[in-house]
Amino acid sequence: MTDTIRIAIQKSGRLSEDSLKLIKECGIRFDNGGGKLKTAATNFPAEILFLRDDDIPGYVEDGVAHLGIVGQNVSEETNRTVDTVHKLGFSKCRLSIGVLREQEYNGVQDLDGKSIATTYPRLLGEYLAANNVTAHIHEISGSVEIAPSIGLADAVCDIVSSGSTLLSNGLKEVETIFRSEAVMIAGKNLPAPQQALLDQLLFRIKSVQVAKNNKYILLNCPNESVDSIIEYLPGMRSPTVLPLAQKGWSSLHSVINENDFWENIEKIRQAGAEGILVIPIEKMIL
Ligand code: PRT
Ligand code: ZN
């Protein structure tokens, strides 16, 4: 099937659920039961491959998969020749350096001559070189946070999300070297049919993302308040204004951005709006 697009996602781990959710929100249906390694979509020319996240950039580079969903941390560390085509906004985390809490720390130069345990030797090496620090990079494959307390290394360089793992291992976060989120990666020079399918997918992903950042809003207001309320609710082209059965009143329908929501809702109420309903939007095509 040369006109099928193969999408690699993490089989099981922190990226799996959101990756599957995104594909489903794009209207692509498939059966992922039974711990399969590969499944075909039923209503879109796509195959989903379930892999370890560290292997995804390599498979995309080799063309085994056309697309992959991985953390930027993994994509950058593996340093494969792939394109990052879209940021997906989930699995946000950072790659940070931590040292024992009781250790005095005044800046990155304090790491000179120290040993740092990590599973990210490439990104750490680049960071140290950029800061003119010479430290020994101790590459280990897991349980990095325990290294200082058992005397294996002076510091760690690992993924941090809430910070509680560092805290519970007696460490403090002293440098953030990389900020990451899940991204979609694609092979270089995709064949034309797969590039066309990628374009369709990106259109759907963007519609889902825009919808998540916006809410549908309906409200009632006296006719004389309509103009001032519209200033806060410009909508897509412009809001819909319909007469209520009660004389002198209107119903106004529009879209409001999630980021402006609380600030604007207060102003809208002060301008005379009442009976305000706010509804999630599933897809939004601008
Ligand atoms: O089996 P496979 O190789 O596929 O999975 P994995 O075990 O290598 O990766 P997984 O599922 O743990 O993580 C996948 C991706 O999720 C990572 O590459 C990151 O892009 C992203 N991500 C987001 C995280 C975290 N948050 C996270 N908190 N990856 C790992 N962690 C770990 C971190 O290593 C540390 O042990 O969680 C701990 C820190 O968390 P806090 O909340 O205590 O700070
Ligand atoms: Zn992994």
Side-chain angles (χ1 to χ4, degrees):
M1 284 210 281
T2 53
D3 289 356
T4 295
I5 193 157
R6 290 186 298 273
I7 310 168
I9 65 170
Q10 191 188 27
K11 180 166 167 43
S12 120
R14 288 185 160 88
L15 296 163
S16 308
E17 199 183 314
D18 285 330
S19 303
L20 284 171
K21 190 164 150 243
L22 181 72
I23 293 173
K24 285 181 180 160
E25 282 171 342
C26 289
I28 298 175
R29 293 190 214 307
F30 55 89
D31 165 29
N32 66 319
K36 285 186 193 161
L37 297 180
K38 190 172 104 169
T39 188
T42 53
N43 62 347
F44 192 84
E47 273 180 355
I48 319 291
L49 312 182
F50 300 94
L51 301 168
R52 281 201 59 195
D53 67 345
D54 318 73
D55 296 335
I56 291 175
Y59 280 118
V60 171
E61 183 185 64
D62 296 344
V64 174
H66 301 106
L67 304 180
I69 297 179
V70 281
Q72 282 169 301
N73 50 314
V74 166
S75 183
E76 292 293 326
E77 181 63 31
T78 49
N79 197 26
R80 298 294 190 140
T81 308
V82 295
D83 286 330
T84 299
V85 288
H86 199 62
K87 292 187 177 184
L88 300 173
F90 58 83
S91 283
K92 289 193 174 168
C93 57
R94 54 197 188 271
L95 184 63
S96 291
I97 296 178
V99 298
L100 285 168
R101 220 170 14 246
E102 57 274 17
Q103 189 178 318
E104 199 187 313
Y105 185 86
N106 298 308
V108 67
Q109 289 305 326
D110 286 7
L111 298 169
D112 216 51
K114 298 279 167 52
S115 71
I116 309 173
T118 190
T119 48
Y120 292 86
R122 196 181 103 80
L123 288 174
L124 175 59
E126 278 182 357
Y127 177 79
L128 294 175
N131 285 283
N132 293 317
V133 171
T134 309
H136 172 67
I137 298 176
H138 194 105
E139 187 178 350
I140 55 177
S141 57
S143 304
V144 172
E145 295 89 347
I146 202 162
S149 60
I150 60 170
L152 189 70
D154 302 305
V156 298
C157 171
D158 198 15
I159 296 293
V160 179
S161 169
S162 66
S164 66
T165 304
L166 287 184
L167 202 69
S168 62
N169 284 282
L171 299 166
K172 60 182 175 189
E173 188 176 356
V174 291
E175 304 289 346
T176 295
I177 72 173
F178 187 80
R179 291 194 183 272
S180 178
E181 65 183 87
V183 287
M184 176 159 282
I185 55 170
K188 293 267 178 201
N189 307 317
L190 287 181
Q194 280 73 25
Q195 183 62 50
L197 291 169
L198 169 59
D199 292 343
Q200 279 185 43
L201 256 181
L202 287 178
F203 174 76
R204 294 186 188 192
I205 289 172
K206 286 173 191 167
S207 305
V208 170
Q209 287 179 330
V210 176
K212 277 189 186 147
N213 290 332
N214 287 279
K215 299 272 180 279
Y216 189 75
I217 179 165
L218 301 97
L219 57 88
N220 296 329
C221 61
N223 290 344
E224 58 273 20
S225 303
V226 167
D227 287 343
S228 52
I229 292 175
I230 285 177
E231 280 187 38
Y232 301 114
L233 293 175
M236 289 199 273
R237 185 172 293 276
S238 87
T240 306
V241 182
L242 301 165
L244 284 191
Q246 185 178 339
K247 248 181 150 241
W249 279 73
S250 295
S251 166
L252 193 144
H253 301 207
S254 191
V255 164
I256 186 167
N257 190 285
E258 183 77 39
N259 299 330
D260 307 330
F261 182 77
W262 288 115
E263 195 184 330
N264 280 357
I265 213 78
E266 209 37 59
K267 291 175 182 154
I268 290 163
R269 283 181 62 217
Q270 281 162 11
E274 60 179 56
I276 303 170
L277 301 181
V278 179
I279 301 166
I281 301 170
E282 194 176 310
K283 309 276 187 316
M284 195 162 152
I285 321 291
L286 295 173

